[in-house]
Structure formats: structure tokens, C-alpha cells
């Protein structure tokens, strides 16, 4: 994952553009947002300026990139994208979801499967047993505060992955959850990655 943009513009939908920071804008118009944020660009449109994480903590950012690369090592690229897409769904991270669905398409993933990731339990025939085990593990780890990682979910993953693969899969889940939190905390805007 490459994080490149640190400014999110918020506009009122009446001027023909979408509101890209609904959490900040709420039902207020552009003027209300500008007042709340305290910043207005040259066009009079409010800007929600957050730090550029890569610039502000370059050592940490490089460590995350290294961790991410190490986690992927030896895993099927299609599985990697499915895991990253599902975690991004659960974390409501549009930036990462946009990035990883595009990466999956470029790698040859079908639109049918991409549409079914969020409802994989209702469409199990779209995914292999190994992929379903990885998706269940992704959900459990991503939502760990809701009930931990259940023994049956872990056992199913362990039945489909050897110890090294299972460790790599867990590391990948940890990595995408970290990236989601970086993107959400710094208000990354979907569609602005420049890889």
C-alpha cells in the first residue's frame, strides 16, 4: 500500500461534486464545515488537512512497508487481495478498498468474485475452502474485540494452511488492518493512490 495524499476536500453536493468527507460534513453545508475545520482553500471550499504519515514518520512508514512485503511472501496473490478487500470492507476503509479491488482486477480477479467478497458466506461456491477459511480468519482478527478469534475459525484456517502459511496469513491480516487505520486516521481519499 502506498499512501500519497494528505488533503481531503469537502464540497457541498449542490455544486456538482460529491461530499468526500461525510463524517466531517454531516448535514452542514460547505460554510459550516469551513468554520468547523477552520481552514478554507482559495476556492472557498473547506479542506480537512491531516498529516502525511509517510513524511511525518518515515521510519515507521518504511517499517510498515517492509512488514507488509514480508507478510505477503509466499502467499497466493489472489488470496492476498481477497483478505485485504474483506478487512477494508469491515473497517469501512474506502481508500484501501478502492486500491485493492483495482489491484485484484489488474491481477485478473473476476468482477463476480469481487462483488461477492462482502457476502462470501451467502455465496460460498465463488470461493475455495482455503479462501473461505482465510476470509473467516480475516473477519475474526479484524473484529477481534467482538469475540476474539474463535477456536473453530482458527482450526479451519489451520486445516487449510501449514504453520508458515498460517503465520503469513495472520501477518497479512495484521498489516491490512494497520494500513486501514493509517488511511482512516489521516483521512485518505479513495482513488488518490498513485502507485
Amino acid at each position: 500500500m502506498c499512501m500519497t495524499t494528505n488533503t481531503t476536500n469537502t464540497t457541498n453536493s449542490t455544486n456538482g461534486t460529491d461530499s468526500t468527507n461525510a463524517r466531517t460534513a454531516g448535514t452542514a453545508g460547505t460554510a459550516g464545515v469551513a468554520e468547523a475545520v477552520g481552514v478554507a482553500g482559495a476556492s472557498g471550499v473547506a479542506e480537512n488537512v491531516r498529516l502525511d504519515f509517510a513524511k511525518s514518520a518515515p521510519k515507521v512508514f518504511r517499517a510498515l512497508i517492509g512488514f507488509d512485503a514480508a507478510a505477503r511472501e509466499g502467499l497466493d496473490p489472489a488470496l492476498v487481495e481477497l483478505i485485504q478487500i474483506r478487512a477494508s470492507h469491515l473497517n469501512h476503509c474506502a481508500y484501501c478498498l478502492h486500491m485493492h479491488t483495482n489491484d485484484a482486477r489488474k491481477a485478473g480477479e473476476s468482477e463476480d468474485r469481487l462483488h461477492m467478497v462482502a457476502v462470501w458466506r451467502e455465496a460460498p461456491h465463488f470461493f475455495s475452502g482455503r479462501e473461505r477459511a482465510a476470509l473467516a480468519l480475516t473477519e475474526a482478527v479484524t473484529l477481534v474485540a467482538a469475540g476474539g478469534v474463535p477456536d473453530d475459525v482458527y482450526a479451519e484456517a489451520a486445516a487449510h494452511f501449514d504453520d508458515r502459511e498460517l503465520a503469513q496469513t495472520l501477518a497479512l491480516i495484521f498489516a491490512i488492518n494497520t494500513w486501514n487505520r493509517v488511511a482512516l486516521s489521516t483521512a485518505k481519499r479513495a482513488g488518490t493512490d498513485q502507485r
Side-chain angles (χ1 to χ4, degrees):
M1 172 168 175
C2 180
M3 315 272 302
T4 57
T5 305
N6 68 337
T7 302
T8 301
N9 290 330
T10 304
T11 58
N12 191 325
S13 60
T14 59
N15 69 5
T17 58
D18 294 333
S19 174
T20 57
N21 195 345
R23 279 182 230 114
T24 302
T27 57
T30 303
V33 174
E35 186 177 304
V37 175
V39 178
S43 66
V45 175
E47 293 180 356
N48 180 7
V49 180
R50 303 232 179 148
L51 66 81
D52 181 325
F53 187 77
K55 276 187 187 174
S56 300
K59 229 173 145 178
V60 175
F61 190 76
R62 283 192 304 273
L64 285 175
I65 290 172
F67 181 71
D68 184 89
R72 296 165 182 261
E73 201 169 288
L75 292 177
D76 173 31
L79 182 66
V80 167
E81 295 307 333
L82 292 177
I83 289 168
Q84 294 179 126
I85 289 166
R86 188 61 188 133
S88 297
H89 283 146
L90 295 169
N91 288 320
H92 300 257
C93 184
Y95 181 86
C96 293
L97 183 59
H98 181 268
M99 178 187 300
H100 294 297
T101 53
N102 281 340
D103 288 350
R105 283 184 191 96
K106 289 175 191 169
E109 188 59 79
S110 75
E111 287 298 319
D112 281 346
R113 280 175 35 106
L114 289 176
H115 292 299
M116 295 297 117
V117 174
V119 292
W120 65 271
R121 282 189 175 82
E122 289 76 25
H125 57 288
F126 280 89
F127 305 98
S128 69
R130 182 177 170 94
E131 289 168 335
R132 290 191 307 271
L135 289 168
L137 186 62
T138 299
E139 290 178 356
V141 173
T142 300
L143 303 173
V144 70
V149 178
D151 289 339
D152 61 328
V153 170
Y154 186 89
E156 185 66 20
H160 286 279
F161 298 94
D162 65 31
D163 286 352
R164 185 199 61 79
E165 293 171 323
L166 184 56
Q168 295 292 126
T169 300
L170 284 167
L172 180 67
I173 297 166
F174 304 157
I176 188 57
N177 274 280
T178 301
W179 285 125
N180 289 163
R181 282 151 178 78
V182 169
L184 290 166
S185 299
T186 59
K188 304 303 286 185
R189 185 173 169 203
T192 60
D193 61 295
Q194 298 174 358
R195 295 170 307 131

